Amino acid sequence: MQAGHPFSRLLLRLERSSVLSDADRRQIANLPFKIINCPARSDIVSRGYAPSGSNLVLDGLLFSYKTVSGAGRQITSFFIPGDIAGLATLYLPIADHSIASVGPAVLAFVPHAALQQTIETSAVLAQALWRETLMQGAIFHEQIANVGRRDAFARLAHIVCELALRLRAKRPTRDCSFAMPCTQRQIADACGISAVHANRVIQELRRLGLLDWDSGRLKFTT
Amino acid sequence: MQAGHPFSRLLLRLERSSVLSDADRRQIANLPFKIINCPARSDIVSRGYAPSGSNLVLDGLLFSYKTVSGAGRQITSFFIPGDIAGLATLYLPIADHSIASVGPAVLAFVPHAALQQTIETSAVLAQALWRETLMQGAIFHEQIANVGRRDAFARLAHIVCELALRLRAKRPTRDCSFAMPCTQRQIADACGISAVHANRVIQELRRLGLLDWDSGRLKFTT
DNA sequence: CGCCGTGTTGATCTCACTCAAGTGCGGTGG
DNA sequence: CCACCGCACTTGAGTGAGATCAACACGGCG
């Protein structure tokens, strides 16, 4: 990940929609944290447990999911660097969903107590963090519509495009390509379709010359 | 709806998970509001607009939805009396989804400015309201898993049971029955299936002696 | 009275699932 | 160094859940 303080990316994110004072910036910068080097595909939060903090993603890709008895798991959303995963447990102690890593990831674990204190100290930061949870909620909304109403082709395209947009928002590339660490299996779980069918849809997208996805790199071929 | 102040039900709700001071209670009770009598199936918030307040449901049933081009609409969640619909626009001005009424509904429209001031005045109330949005987020999560992974039968059962639980939590009935103002069409839209198929699933549920749904009243037949 | 929306039923079709087998690659141990 | 294993991806065949289209019964309402 980039050089500099672990929270620099979070600050940038928050300042995109809030006006922070110097005190606010200091407040964030002084947040206690613990760097966690997280191996590939490992659980970070397990449903039913009460984590004592939230995880700021510094590098890598996380996803939240639910397992449905007898029907595998459904990935509900992805967390990219700059996102805070597990913010919901700030005020809803028991996690209602699990969070796991796609590839190896670097996280900054921030205790709830510290976040709560920050929120009580600065109304602006409270608002900014609240907004973060609301934006995650908006992504859920979209995901419900996506999974509920679109066919496999549109679902997969939608999810890939969403990831591309969010990732490219932070690091635009000339050739419309980006690192795509997910396996087809994971994309299938996010789309609510079987892995086999996801594979066929991806091949169809390739055949139509819409995308080129190979060895962890995905490229839109206009 | 019940006699008493329009916010009495909201207060009860908030006190279920927060400890309010007298000042907090007064703060809520003195919130400015405007009673809205809303006809059946009318839009309350339209996607793309920036409403100037949120709507506390006093009576009736609302739902939030998204329309997917060429694939009808997807209902993402229901709001029952005591819920605040459109809380997301508090800090995300442009509504990313629409909200509409099922049957006739009674709402208390509360300006965002008043809510924001409340939030800045009382940390406890801020937390309580934040928690409300998080709980709505948890329902979204569940809905994604529901629509993404379960078959039509389980989806429909899940949604009906969720509504039953939430409605009965406020007004338990002896015979496991409750007012179910939705049309089959609306349930289908919430499940992400066609109306025809929803009808067949409901008949199957009836045939199995699991529920009895007629003329706006739904009963679980053990 | 005619109209529209809801619920119901039947026939047909197709998208996506399951099962199954095979390829290619990276890692591990002999 | 090679044999082996596990995982991601690929391909094929058969099946089934759910969509679509169409028609009709019924009740409420202008």
Side-chain angles (χ1 to χ4, degrees):
Chain A
M1 64 153 284
Q2 78 188 76
H5 196 279
F7 294 126
S8 56
R9 190 176 271 163
L10 175 63
L11 268 175
L12 256 119
R13 163 86 64 102
L14 297 182
E15 298 207 77
R16 238 177 24 203
S17 48
S18 301
V19 179
L20 306 188
S21 69
D22 279 345
D24 291 330
R25 274 186 277 269
R26 252 179 288 120
Q27 184 91 31
I28 291 284
N30 292 331
L31 235 29
F33 66 92
K34 193 166 137 235
I35 295 290
I36 297 180
N37 275 290
C38 175
R41 68 195 58 212
S42 62
D43 267 29
I44 287 137
V45 174
S46 294
R47 184 194 131 92
Y49 286 79
S52 61
S54 298
N55 294 287
L56 171 65
V57 183
L58 299 179
D59 198 29
L61 192 62
L62 306 187
F63 61 90
S64 57
Y65 69 97
K66 284 201 164 216
T67 49
V68 177
S69 70
R73 75 176 170 191
Q74 173 69 41
I75 292 180
T76 52
S77 69
F78 290 96
F79 298 98
I80 68 171
D83 286 341
I84 305 177
L87 254 189
T89 54
L90 236 194
Y91 292 122
L92 247 35
I94 308 293
D96 69 315
H97 59 269
S98 307
I99 299 178
S101 58
V102 173
V106 183
L107 313 175
F109 176 88
V110 183
H112 282 152
L115 283 171
Q116 276 158 359
Q117 207 205 318
T118 298
I119 286 163
E120 280 171 31
T121 308
S122 162
V124 172
L125 288 178
Q127 221 178 85
L129 287 173
W130 195 332
R131 189 178 334 221
E132 284 297 308
T133 69
L134 291 175
M135 287 176 62
Q136 292 176 9
I139 293 178
F140 293 158
H141 254 278
E142 191 55 43
Q143 175 76 336
I144 294 173
N146 194 33
V147 173
R149 284 288 144 187
R150 286 190 251 260
D151 62 15
F153 194 84
R155 270 189 231 185
L156 201 147
H158 188 273
I159 283 185
V160 167
C161 289
E162 183 205 313
L163 269 178
L165 269 180
R166 286 170 65 198
L167 288 168
R168 291 210 321 135
K170 40 180 55 282
R171 201 181 304 183
T173 52
R174 187 69 54 194
D175 64 345
C176 291
S177 80
F178 63 99
M180 177 52 143
C182 297
T183 63
Q184 292 186 358
R185 175 85 240 242
Q186 287 162 339
I187 291 295
D189 283 349
C191 291
I193 62 180
S194 72
V196 171
H197 195 54
N199 177 269
R200 292 197 228 268
V201 170
I202 290 166
Q203 285 178 60
E204 178 73 2
L205 283 165
R206 275 203 271 257
R207 202 182 58 72
L208 292 174
L210 291 172
L211 61 73
D212 181 15
W213 179 4
D214 198 20
S215 61
R217 189 138 202 100
L218 195 155
K219 186 164 143 197
F220 293 96
T221 56
T222 51
Chain B
M1 66 154 281
Q2 77 188 77
H5 195 279
F7 294 128
S8 56
R9 191 176 270 162
L10 175 63
L11 268 175
L12 256 121
R13 162 85 64 104
L14 297 182
E15 298 208 78
R16 241 179 20 205
S17 49
S18 303
V19 179
L20 306 188
S21 69
D22 279 345
D24 291 331
R25 273 186 279 269
R26 251 178 289 118
Q27 185 91 31
I28 292 282
N30 291 331
L31 235 31
F33 66 91
K34 194 166 137 234
I35 294 291
I36 296 180
N37 275 289
C38 175
R41 67 197 57 213
S42 62
D43 267 29
I44 288 137
V45 174
S46 293
R47 185 194 132 92
Y49 286 79
S52 62
S54 298
N55 294 287
L56 170 65
V57 183
L58 299 180
D59 198 30
L61 193 62
L62 306 187
F63 60 90
S64 57
Y65 69 97
K66 284 201 163 217
T67 50
V68 178
S69 70
R73 76 177 170 191
Q74 174 68 42
I75 292 180
T76 51
S77 69
F78 290 96
F79 298 98
I80 67 170
D83 286 340
I84 305 177
L87 254 189
T89 53
L90 235 194
Y91 293 122
L92 247 36
I94 309 294
D96 69 315
H97 58 269
S98 307
I99 299 178
S101 58
V102 173
V106 183
L107 314 174
F109 177 88
V110 183
H112 283 151
L115 282 171
Q116 276 158 359
Q117 206 206 317
T118 299
I119 287 163
E120 279 171 32
T121 307
S122 161
V124 172
L125 287 178
Q127 222 179 84
L129 288 173
W130 195 334
R131 187 177 333 214
E132 284 297 307
T133 69
L134 291 175
M135 287 176 61
Q136 291 176 9
I139 293 179
F140 293 158
H141 254 279
E142 191 55 43
Q143 175 75 338
I144 294 173
N146 194 34
V147 173
R149 284 289 144 186
R150 286 191 251 261
D151 62 13
F153 194 85
R155 270 188 228 185
L156 201 147
H158 188 274
I159 285 187
V160 167
C161 288
E162 184 206 312
L163 269 178
L165 269 180
R166 287 171 65 198
L167 288 169
R168 292 211 321 136
K170 38 181 57 280
R171 200 182 304 182
T173 51
R174 187 67 55 192
D175 64 346
C176 292
S177 80
F178 64 98
M180 177 50 141
C182 297
T183 63
Q184 293 186 358
R185 176 86 238 250
Q186 287 163 339
I187 291 295
D189 283 347
C191 290
I193 61 181
S194 71
V196 171
H197 196 55
N199 177 270
R200 293 198 228 266
V201 170
I202 290 166
Q203 284 177 61
E204 178 72 2
L205 283 165
R206 275 203 271 258
R207 203 182 58 72
L208 291 172
L210 292 173
L211 61 72
D212 181 16
W213 180 4
D214 197 21
S215 60
R217 189 137 202 101
L218 195 155
K219 187 164 142 195
F220 293 96
T221 56
T222 52

mmCIF file of all heavy atoms in Angstrom, chain A residues 188-219:
data_model
loop_
_atom_site.group_PDB
_atom_site.id
_atom_site.type_symbol
_atom_site.label_atom_id
_atom_site.label_comp_id
_atom_site.label_asym_id
_atom_site.label_seq_id
_atom_site.Cartn_x
_atom_site.Cartn_y
_atom_site.Cartn_z
ATOM 1 N N ALA A 188 -19.578 -15.681 -8.668
ATOM 2 C CA ALA A 188 -20.836 -16.423 -8.721
ATOM 3 C C ALA A 188 -21.605 -16.258 -7.412
ATOM 4 O O ALA A 188 -22.813 -16.023 -7.412
ATOM 5 C CB ALA A 188 -20.568 -17.898 -8.990
ATOM 6 N N ASP A 189 -20.901 -16.355 -6.291
ATOM 7 C CA ASP A 189 -21.550 -16.201 -4.989
ATOM 8 C C ASP A 189 -22.117 -14.797 -4.812
ATOM 9 O O ASP A 189 -23.108 -14.600 -4.124
ATOM 10 C CB ASP A 189 -20.556 -16.496 -3.852
ATOM 11 C CG ASP A 189 -20.338 -17.993 -3.684
ATOM 12 O OD1 ASP A 189 -21.101 -18.775 -4.281
ATOM 13 O OD2 ASP A 189 -19.396 -18.377 -2.972
ATOM 14 N N ALA A 190 -21.469 -13.828 -5.400
ATOM 15 C CA ALA A 190 -21.980 -12.463 -5.301
ATOM 16 C C ALA A 190 -23.209 -12.274 -6.186
ATOM 17 O O ALA A 190 -24.118 -11.523 -5.846
ATOM 18 C CB ALA A 190 -20.902 -11.452 -5.680
ATOM 19 N N CYS A 191 -23.229 -12.976 -7.312
ATOM 20 C CA CYS A 191 -24.338 -12.840 -8.256
ATOM 21 C C CYS A 191 -25.528 -13.709 -7.872
ATOM 22 O O CYS A 191 -26.626 -13.530 -8.403
ATOM 23 C CB CYS A 191 -23.902 -13.236 -9.669
ATOM 24 S SG CYS A 191 -22.744 -12.091 -10.425
ATOM 25 N N GLY A 192 -25.310 -14.654 -6.992
ATOM 26 C CA GLY A 192 -26.383 -15.576 -6.657
ATOM 27 C C GLY A 192 -26.625 -16.586 -7.753
ATOM 28 O O GLY A 192 -27.759 -17.001 -7.991
ATOM 29 N N ILE A 193 -25.574 -16.981 -8.456
ATOM 30 C CA ILE A 193 -25.694 -18.019 -9.476
ATOM 31 C C ILE A 193 -24.653 -19.098 -9.213
ATOM 32 O O ILE A 193 -23.801 -18.935 -8.343
ATOM 33 C CB ILE A 193 -25.512 -17.445 -10.898
ATOM 34 C CG1 ILE A 193 -24.115 -16.841 -11.044
ATOM 35 C CG2 ILE A 193 -26.565 -16.408 -11.201
ATOM 36 C CD1 ILE A 193 -23.849 -16.248 -12.409
ATOM 37 N N SER A 194 -24.709 -20.186 -9.940
ATOM 38 C CA SER A 194 -23.749 -21.266 -9.719
ATOM 39 C C SER A 194 -22.425 -20.921 -10.391
ATOM 40 O O SER A 194 -22.378 -20.109 -11.321
ATOM 41 C CB SER A 194 -24.292 -22.566 -10.289
ATOM 42 O OG SER A 194 -24.267 -22.530 -11.691
ATOM 43 N N ALA A 195 -21.369 -21.538 -9.910
ATOM 44 C CA ALA A 195 -20.049 -21.253 -10.456
ATOM 45 C C ALA A 195 -19.972 -21.649 -11.930
ATOM 46 O O ALA A 195 -19.368 -20.951 -12.748
ATOM 47 C CB ALA A 195 -18.981 -21.990 -9.651
ATOM 48 N N VAL A 196 -20.583 -22.754 -12.258
ATOM 49 C CA VAL A 196 -20.568 -23.209 -13.654
ATOM 50 C C VAL A 196 -21.226 -22.169 -14.562
ATOM 51 O O VAL A 196 -20.692 -21.811 -15.607
ATOM 52 C CB VAL A 196 -21.309 -24.557 -13.783
ATOM 53 C CG1 VAL A 196 -21.492 -24.917 -15.240
ATOM 54 C CG2 VAL A 196 -20.551 -25.643 -13.057
ATOM 55 N N HIS A 197 -22.363 -21.688 -14.122
ATOM 56 C CA HIS A 197 -23.073 -20.729 -14.946
ATOM 57 C C HIS A 197 -22.308 -19.410 -15.035
ATOM 58 O O HIS A 197 -22.279 -18.776 -16.092
ATOM 59 C CB HIS A 197 -24.471 -20.497 -14.403
ATOM 60 C CG HIS A 197 -25.386 -19.817 -15.367
ATOM 61 N ND1 HIS A 197 -25.598 -20.305 -16.640
ATOM 62 C CD2 HIS A 197 -26.118 -18.691 -15.274
ATOM 63 C CE1 HIS A 197 -26.428 -19.504 -17.273
ATOM 64 N NE2 HIS A 197 -26.755 -18.516 -16.471
ATOM 65 N N ALA A 198 -21.688 -19.013 -13.948
ATOM 66 C CA ALA A 198 -20.875 -17.795 -13.970
ATOM 67 C C ALA A 198 -19.792 -17.933 -15.031
ATOM 68 O O ALA A 198 -19.537 -17.008 -15.808
ATOM 69 C CB ALA A 198 -20.252 -17.550 -12.601
ATOM 70 N N ASN A 199 -19.177 -19.088 -15.060
ATOM 71 C CA ASN A 199 -18.128 -19.335 -16.054
ATOM 72 C C ASN A 199 -18.669 -19.164 -17.474
ATOM 73 O O ASN A 199 -18.059 -18.494 -18.311
ATOM 74 C CB ASN A 199 -17.582 -20.751 -15.870
ATOM 75 C CG ASN A 199 -16.537 -21.090 -16.906
ATOM 76 O OD1 ASN A 199 -16.868 -21.609 -17.959
ATOM 77 N ND2 ASN A 199 -15.292 -20.745 -16.630
ATOM 78 N N ARG A 200 -19.840 -19.715 -17.731
ATOM 79 C CA ARG A 200 -20.401 -19.594 -19.077
ATOM 80 C C ARG A 200 -20.721 -18.146 -19.408
ATOM 81 O O ARG A 200 -20.526 -17.696 -20.547
ATOM 82 C CB ARG A 200 -21.655 -20.459 -19.189
ATOM 83 C CG ARG A 200 -21.351 -21.945 -19.120
ATOM 84 C CD ARG A 200 -22.532 -22.764 -19.639
ATOM 85 N NE ARG A 200 -22.873 -23.846 -18.745
ATOM 86 C CZ ARG A 200 -22.384 -25.086 -18.841
ATOM 87 N NH1 ARG A 200 -21.539 -25.400 -19.774
ATOM 88 N NH2 ARG A 200 -22.757 -26.014 -17.986
ATOM 89 N N VAL A 201 -21.237 -17.420 -18.435
ATOM 90 C CA VAL A 201 -21.556 -16.008 -18.677
ATOM 91 C C VAL A 201 -20.283 -15.233 -18.988
ATOM 92 O O VAL A 201 -20.249 -14.406 -19.911
ATOM 93 C CB VAL A 201 -22.272 -15.398 -17.459
ATOM 94 C CG1 VAL A 201 -22.381 -13.889 -17.602
ATOM 95 C CG2 VAL A 201 -23.652 -16.006 -17.287
ATOM 96 N N ILE A 202 -19.230 -15.502 -18.239
ATOM 97 C CA ILE A 202 -17.974 -14.797 -18.478
ATOM 98 C C ILE A 202 -17.446 -15.109 -19.878
ATOM 99 O O ILE A 202 -16.984 -14.218 -20.600
ATOM 100 C CB ILE A 202 -16.932 -15.201 -17.408
ATOM 101 C CG1 ILE A 202 -17.346 -14.620 -16.055
ATOM 102 C CG2 ILE A 202 -15.549 -14.695 -17.786
ATOM 103 C CD1 ILE A 202 -16.595 -15.207 -14.876
ATOM 104 N N GLN A 203 -17.568 -16.369 -20.276
ATOM 105 C CA GLN A 203 -17.124 -16.720 -21.623
ATOM 106 C C GLN A 203 -17.936 -15.995 -22.678
ATOM 107 O O GLN A 203 -17.409 -15.552 -23.700
ATOM 108 C CB GLN A 203 -17.247 -18.225 -21.813
ATOM 109 C CG GLN A 203 -16.176 -18.982 -21.095
ATOM 110 C CD GLN A 203 -16.353 -20.471 -21.254
ATOM 111 O OE1 GLN A 203 -16.333 -20.975 -22.354
ATOM 112 N NE2 GLN A 203 -16.549 -21.149 -20.144
ATOM 113 N N GLU A 204 -19.237 -15.869 -22.388
ATOM 114 C CA GLU A 204 -20.098 -15.139 -23.321
ATOM 115 C C GLU A 204 -19.646 -13.682 -23.435
ATOM 116 O O GLU A 204 -19.573 -13.121 -24.527
ATOM 117 C CB GLU A 204 -21.554 -15.217 -22.824
ATOM 118 C CG GLU A 204 -22.560 -14.460 -23.664
ATOM 119 C CD GLU A 204 -22.848 -15.140 -24.994
ATOM 120 O OE1 GLU A 204 -22.279 -16.227 -25.240
ATOM 121 O OE2 GLU A 204 -23.604 -14.557 -25.790
ATOM 122 N N LEU A 205 -19.321 -13.086 -22.282
ATOM 123 C CA LEU A 205 -18.835 -11.703 -22.286
ATOM 124 C C LEU A 205 -17.528 -11.594 -23.068
ATOM 125 O O LEU A 205 -17.295 -10.615 -23.786
ATOM 126 C CB LEU A 205 -18.623 -11.213 -20.847
ATOM 127 C CG LEU A 205 -19.888 -10.829 -20.074
ATOM 128 C CD1 LEU A 205 -19.613 -10.709 -18.591
ATOM 129 C CD2 LEU A 205 -20.467 -9.527 -20.607
ATOM 130 N N ARG A 206 -16.700 -12.600 -22.922
ATOM 131 C CA ARG A 206 -15.434 -12.609 -23.672
ATOM 132 C C ARG A 206 -15.723 -12.735 -25.159
ATOM 133 O O ARG A 206 -15.175 -12.018 -25.991
ATOM 134 C CB ARG A 206 -14.590 -13.805 -23.217
ATOM 135 C CG ARG A 206 -13.756 -13.523 -21.988
ATOM 136 C CD ARG A 206 -12.570 -14.459 -21.913
ATOM 137 N NE ARG A 206 -12.880 -15.703 -21.203
ATOM 138 C CZ ARG A 206 -12.510 -15.965 -19.956
ATOM 139 N NH1 ARG A 206 -11.838 -15.078 -19.277
ATOM 140 N NH2 ARG A 206 -12.813 -17.107 -19.384
ATOM 141 N N ARG A 207 -16.610 -13.668 -25.492
ATOM 142 C CA ARG A 207 -16.933 -13.936 -26.882
ATOM 143 C C ARG A 207 -17.476 -12.685 -27.564
ATOM 144 O O ARG A 207 -17.194 -12.419 -28.742
ATOM 145 C CB ARG A 207 -17.964 -15.065 -26.964
ATOM 146 C CG ARG A 207 -18.013 -15.807 -28.289
ATOM 147 C CD ARG A 207 -19.099 -16.873 -28.268
ATOM 148 N NE ARG A 207 -20.420 -16.317 -27.996
ATOM 149 C CZ ARG A 207 -21.118 -15.578 -28.856
ATOM 150 N NH1 ARG A 207 -20.636 -15.320 -30.038
ATOM 151 N NH2 ARG A 207 -22.298 -15.115 -28.520
ATOM 152 N N LEU A 208 -18.257 -11.914 -26.795
ATOM 153 C CA LEU A 208 -18.822 -10.684 -27.343
ATOM 154 C C LEU A 208 -17.790 -9.561 -27.366
ATOM 155 O O LEU A 208 -18.087 -8.442 -27.769
ATOM 156 C CB LEU A 208 -20.040 -10.243 -26.516
ATOM 157 C CG LEU A 208 -21.260 -11.151 -26.627
ATOM 158 C CD1 LEU A 208 -22.339 -10.705 -25.652
ATOM 159 C CD2 LEU A 208 -21.793 -11.129 -28.056
ATOM 160 N N GLY A 209 -16.599 -9.856 -26.900
ATOM 161 C CA GLY A 209 -15.546 -8.841 -26.922
ATOM 162 C C GLY A 209 -15.784 -7.721 -25.932
ATOM 163 O O GLY A 209 -15.366 -6.592 -26.140
ATOM 164 N N LEU A 210 -16.482 -8.035 -24.825
ATOM 165 C CA LEU A 210 -16.778 -6.981 -23.855
ATOM 166 C C LEU A 210 -15.717 -6.904 -22.768
ATOM 167 O O LEU A 210 -15.434 -5.825 -22.258
ATOM 168 C CB LEU A 210 -18.154 -7.205 -23.235
ATOM 169 C CG LEU A 210 -19.302 -6.993 -24.223
ATOM 170 C CD1 LEU A 210 -20.619 -7.404 -23.612
ATOM 171 C CD2 LEU A 210 -19.342 -5.541 -24.669
ATOM 172 N N LEU A 211 -15.175 -8.039 -22.418
ATOM 173 C CA LEU A 211 -14.122 -7.985 -21.409
ATOM 174 C C LEU A 211 -13.095 -9.078 -21.603
ATOM 175 O O LEU A 211 -13.324 -10.053 -22.319
ATOM 176 C CB LEU A 211 -14.690 -7.997 -19.994
ATOM 177 C CG LEU A 211 -15.520 -9.154 -19.484
ATOM 178 C CD1 LEU A 211 -14.676 -10.377 -19.216
ATOM 179 C CD2 LEU A 211 -16.211 -8.742 -18.184
ATOM 180 N N ASP A 212 -12.005 -8.872 -20.937
ATOM 181 C CA ASP A 212 -10.862 -9.744 -21.062
ATOM 182 C C ASP A 212 -10.363 -9.947 -19.637
ATOM 183 O O ASP A 212 -9.864 -9.026 -19.003
ATOM 184 C CB ASP A 212 -9.806 -9.013 -21.918
ATOM 185 C CG ASP A 212 -8.585 -9.879 -22.116
ATOM 186 O OD1 ASP A 212 -8.667 -11.077 -21.863
ATOM 187 O OD2 ASP A 212 -7.536 -9.323 -22.504
ATOM 188 N N TRP A 213 -10.583 -11.148 -19.138
ATOM 189 C CA TRP A 213 -10.284 -11.386 -17.733
ATOM 190 C C TRP A 213 -9.351 -12.578 -17.642
ATOM 191 O O TRP A 213 -9.748 -13.700 -17.917
ATOM 192 C CB TRP A 213 -11.581 -11.650 -16.981
ATOM 193 C CG TRP A 213 -11.398 -11.920 -15.530
ATOM 194 C CD1 TRP A 213 -10.241 -11.884 -14.831
ATOM 195 C CD2 TRP A 213 -12.409 -12.267 -14.591
ATOM 196 N NE1 TRP A 213 -10.466 -12.186 -13.516
ATOM 197 C CE2 TRP A 213 -11.785 -12.427 -13.341
ATOM 198 C CE3 TRP A 213 -13.789 -12.462 -14.668
ATOM 199 C CZ2 TRP A 213 -12.498 -12.772 -12.201
ATOM 200 C CZ3 TRP A 213 -14.487 -12.809 -13.534
ATOM 201 C CH2 TRP A 213 -13.852 -12.950 -12.307
ATOM 202 N N ASP A 214 -8.131 -12.318 -17.268
ATOM 203 C CA ASP A 214 -7.164 -13.386 -17.221
ATOM 204 C C ASP A 214 -6.141 -13.139 -16.127
ATOM 205 O O ASP A 214 -5.682 -12.020 -15.934
ATOM 206 C CB ASP A 214 -6.464 -13.504 -18.579
ATOM 207 C CG ASP A 214 -5.779 -14.852 -18.716
ATOM 208 O OD1 ASP A 214 -6.149 -15.774 -17.976
ATOM 209 O OD2 ASP A 214 -4.867 -14.948 -19.553
ATOM 210 N N SER A 215 -5.804 -14.187 -15.438
ATOM 211 C CA SER A 215 -4.776 -14.168 -14.406
ATOM 212 C C SER A 215 -4.844 -12.928 -13.528
ATOM 213 O O SER A 215 -3.901 -12.141 -13.458
ATOM 214 C CB SER A 215 -3.380 -14.303 -15.038
ATOM 215 O OG SER A 215 -3.144 -13.230 -15.914
ATOM 216 N N GLY A 216 -6.002 -12.731 -12.903
ATOM 217 C CA GLY A 216 -6.118 -11.677 -11.904
ATOM 218 C C GLY A 216 -6.198 -10.264 -12.416
ATOM 219 O O GLY A 216 -6.180 -9.306 -11.645
ATOM 220 N N ARG A 217 -6.304 -10.101 -13.731
ATOM 221 C CA ARG A 217 -6.436 -8.750 -14.262
ATOM 222 C C ARG A 217 -7.640 -8.724 -15.195
ATOM 223 O O ARG A 217 -7.788 -9.579 -16.066
ATOM 224 C CB ARG A 217 -5.156 -8.343 -15.007
ATOM 225 C CG ARG A 217 -5.150 -6.881 -15.382
ATOM 226 C CD ARG A 217 -3.800 -6.191 -15.154
ATOM 227 N NE ARG A 217 -4.025 -4.762 -15.030
ATOM 228 C CZ ARG A 217 -4.085 -4.105 -13.869
ATOM 229 N NH1 ARG A 217 -3.889 -4.757 -12.749
ATOM 230 N NH2 ARG A 217 -4.313 -2.815 -13.841
ATOM 231 N N LEU A 218 -8.502 -7.729 -14.979
ATOM 232 C CA LEU A 218 -9.701 -7.636 -15.796
ATOM 233 C C LEU A 218 -9.639 -6.372 -16.642
ATOM 234 O O LEU A 218 -9.300 -5.305 -16.146
ATOM 235 C CB LEU A 218 -10.938 -7.606 -14.893
ATOM 236 C CG LEU A 218 -12.287 -7.867 -15.548
ATOM 237 C CD1 LEU A 218 -13.272 -8.400 -14.525
ATOM 238 C CD2 LEU A 218 -12.833 -6.633 -16.207
ATOM 239 N N LYS A 219 -9.971 -6.516 -17.905
ATOM 240 C CA LYS A 219 -9.877 -5.379 -18.807
ATOM 241 C C LYS A 219 -11.142 -5.272 -19.632
ATOM 242 O O LYS A 219 -11.628 -6.277 -20.165
ATOM 243 C CB LYS A 219 -8.663 -5.568 -19.724
ATOM 244 C CG LYS A 219 -8.358 -4.392 -20.629
ATOM 245 C CD LYS A 219 -6.939 -4.508 -21.185
ATOM 246 C CE LYS A 219 -6.843 -4.039 -22.618
ATOM 247 N NZ LYS A 219 -5.604 -4.512 -23.263
#
